[in-house]
Amino acid sequence: MTVITIILACGTMLLLAVLAAYALGWADRVFRVPVDPRMEAVLAALPGANCGGCGYVGCSEYAAAVVAGSVEVSKCTVGGVSCAAALARILGVEVKPAWPYRPVLHCGATYAQRLKRADYRGERTCAAANVISGVQGCAYGCLGFSDCQLACDFDAIHIINGLAVVDYEKCVGCGACERACPRHIISMVPFKAERMLVVACSNKDAGRDVRAVCKVGCIGCRACQRASDLFQMTEHLPTIDYDSYDPDKMPDLNVLVARCPMKRIVAVGKPSEKDLAAVKDQELPGVVMGEFRTTADEAEWRG
Amino acid sequence: MNHLGALLLLAINTALINNMVFHFFVGNCPFIGVSRRIDTAFGMGCAVTFVTAVAAMLSWTCTYFILAPGAPLTTWAWRQFNPTSQAVVDLSILNYVVYIFLIAAAVQLVEMYVRKFFPALYKAFGVFLPLITTNCVILFVCLEIMKHVSGATGPLYWGPDEALVYAVFAGVGFLIAIVIMAGIRQELDHCDVPKPLRGAGITMIIAGILALAFMGFTGVDKGLEAMFGK
């Protein structure tokens, strides 16, 4: 009895499996949706971070747009150049030179250097502090309430001494910090070289007014404009046109940096050989001082 | 009471009085997961109804002919081995395996169908369409049918018509529940819900209140039975 019951049970399952396989196989043929094989290949080549840095909702939306040909292959900031090359190979198109876009902060003043700061007790976000006047003297500069740090999924931007600092080793260029900043002082620029020149100030006021609110702000002296035509002055503030930025045809970065009396022209990105050599002899601190903040500080009551 | 009246009573009983979500608390995960917008919720309800009907018909057939004690097909196969035996062959041990197998196959079928003919719905479902596989409404319906097929006699016995009505109206009950819930949740987006309750918390509370409201249908079947019984 038992043996035959087992045989019958096995036979039943086998029979059902064959029937179901036949039915599903038939359905697969009848209901087949032709999917562009390039679409699957493109999706496999994308990093799958779904970060939205390309401007689409997720990787699959971007893949669909790429296959449709309505967008360039080089928009994926996480995948970078290798991803663009892979997509171009799949689709058989020419890849235009694509530079990784990375955020740069157009402010360089720490808490100590920003003047007329008030004791702000409102909601601890830049977005809230930005709608109130008088939190600090400079109406353009970094507020330091870490909206960008909270927006970053890659732990690549931190508030250090009240100023956002990008960690270019970790940054993938998704642009979340750019969108989070209520003062729009973070911008995504194409990193055409490992180190890029940045104007680290956003204050458009005249020199006297800037000096009243910031120890280090740009005073609009035009020294940089005289040194190189890379800089265009608009409203007492130089801006860099990154479209015409060409690292091969530029004077040495350090020369340009040295021209600015306020040291507001800075080079950001990976540390250069010279920087590393300069600090080579310095001893590392034996004791690393911890930051006395806990996760509870991040989770404070926000009204 | 005639047969049609009994079927009508069964339908009302299944869809409203013993609503799958509010009375038996099965199918809660799509009920919470896909009830954000009315159109998606309606699509989900229809998909669940369809899968339930298909799976219920398949499982009724399998239970009646193969799995139930003394089922014709298995008994015939048994007689091939030893023609003289009078033992009752019972394959009910296979019930769960076979039901889950059938549900999975039915869901695959529906997924292909929806992908072909309703691409927008397919996109809106996302991961929840394959998840119908693990929707407990469907297994619940299959097990309920199993109870009324294997070993049941007299009025307890369900033929394929009762099984189909039961399955379709179990799905309709789920559809009613999820669409009501989606309507409430759409309005809820405009409300100032206390922060700790946002998301699943307030949804569960609302589901509880809705279940209380559906308790109001209790006893309706008795009244209808008295009406149709004459």
Side-chain angles (χ1 to χ4, degrees), chain A residues 1 4-5 7-10 12-13 15-18 20-21 23-24 26-28 30-35 61 301-302, chain B residues 62 66-67 74 77-78 81-82 87-91 93-94 97-98 101-102 105 108-109 112-113 115-117 123 195:
Chain A
M1 174 93 193
I4 298 180
T5 309
I7 293 171
L8 277 180
C10 293
T12 308
M13 291 312 293
L15 185 79
L16 283 176
V18 169
L24 286 179
W26 168 81
D28 188 38
V30 175
F31 299 142
R32 174 169 291 280
V33 180
V35 178
E61 297 258 309
W301 173 252
R302 290 178 185 273
Chain B
C62 283
I66 302 173
L67 300 173
T74 25
W78 173 257
F81 289 105
N82 37 358
V88 176
V89 200
D90 187 5
L91 281 186
I93 45 162
L94 286 182
V97 188
V98 168
F101 180 85
L102 291 175
Q108 288 293 314
L109 207 68
M112 285 186 238
Y113 184 79
R115 190 174 181 190
K116 170 91 179 172
F117 294 107
K123 215 170 166 187
K195 202 174 180 189

Side-chain angles (χ1 to χ4, degrees), chain B residues 159-179:
Chain B
D161 45 353
E162 274 113 339
L164 185 63
V165 166
Y166 181 75
V168 167
F169 281 91
V172 168
F174 180 81
L175 177 76
I176 292 171
I178 198 170
V179 168

